[in-house]
Amino acid sequence: MLFVLLSANDVVAQRANSVAEQKRRVEQYKRDLEKTKREVQELKQQKGSATQRVNKLTKQMNLRTSYIAETERKRDLLTYEAGKLNKKIDSLVKALKHNKSIYAEVVRVAYRDYAANNATTYLFSSTTISDAAHRMVNLRHIAEQRAELAEQIKQQGRHLVAMRDELQSRRIELDSIGRSLEREHRELERDREEAKRTFDKLTE
């Protein structure tokens, strides 16, 4: 009758192996790109030959293109993971709402029985000592189930907060990636323009 409580592993910010691997690839391309950018700047300062600069700029453009492609794959993976997380949140919201409605009904019935002194009547209407003991066990079991449901609702509430926080974190990360991609595309265009100007000097 109750919704199955989602595993804690699904609630915690658990990144898929593919996402973690893609992040490592992106960081490696970023390091390679930064290294090549420094080499290009050194050539400028040292008045390196136009041919050397064109070669370095070509390498830089290739690395930047690869970096952009890997970052876009990372963005797509994170978008997919965020979508899955959003579906889990929707499912948990429904489960929590369902359990809260059940608990509200349980509390209402318990209060009604308490007001009518039904529990005492239930016990005193026992026909034998064994029957009374059996009825006491039933009452205790009902109380335990009510307490268990209350605890489950608390856990679901905590998990829902954690999942929403994680989703917000993913969205912030995706926004950052979007800005980074825009910046890299602008840098790539500048690289191309600089490489063209440098190459034109070779053909003058």
Side-chain angles (χ1 to χ4, degrees), residues 68-86:
I68 289 172
E70 295 297 334
T71 302
E72 287 174 341
R73 290 190 187 98
K74 173 185 169 183
R75 177 200 60 195
D76 293 344
L77 286 170
L78 285 172
T79 300
Y80 175 72
E81 290 297 318
K84 288 201 304 182
L85 184 57
N86 196 51

Side-chain angles (χ1 to χ4, degrees), residues 9-20 23 74-89 162-179:
N9 288 335
D10 289 330
V11 178
V12 177
Q14 180 185 14
R15 301 183 182 278
N17 289 335
S18 56
V19 174
K23 285 187 174 184
K74 173 185 169 183
R75 177 200 60 195
D76 293 344
L77 286 170
L78 285 172
T79 300
Y80 175 72
E81 290 297 318
K84 288 201 304 182
L85 184 57
N86 196 51
K87 288 180 180 179
K88 289 178 181 178
I89 288 174
M163 291 170 75
R164 281 173 170 164
D165 286 346
E166 172 61 12
L167 182 60
Q168 180 62 18
S169 176
R170 295 282 178 92
R171 286 171 174 168
I172 290 172
E173 186 174 6
L174 283 168
D175 286 343
S176 176
I177 290 173
R179 290 191 296 271

Side-chain angles (χ1 to χ4, degrees), residues 84-108:
K84 288 201 304 182
L85 184 57
N86 196 51
K87 288 180 180 179
K88 289 178 181 178
I89 288 174
D90 290 342
S91 177
L92 184 54
V93 167
K94 290 178 183 177
L96 188 56
K97 182 179 179 181
H98 178 76
N99 284 346
K100 281 183 175 180
S101 67
I102 292 175
Y103 186 75
E105 178 63 17
V106 168
V107 170
R108 187 189 68 79

Side-chain angles (χ1 to χ4, degrees), residues 36 39-40 43-44 48-62 191-203:
T36 305
E39 291 172 352
V40 170
L43 279 174
K44 288 181 180 179
S49 71
T51 301
Q52 288 178 308
R53 288 175 60 189
V54 167
N55 290 339
K56 284 296 181 183
L57 283 167
T58 299
K59 180 181 178 181
Q60 180 172 301
M61 285 188 294
N62 289 338
D191 289 346
R192 287 169 176 161
E193 291 173 356
E194 184 176 356
K196 184 177 183 303
R197 287 194 300 269
T198 306
F199 181 77
D200 287 344
K201 289 180 180 179
L202 288 174
T203 58

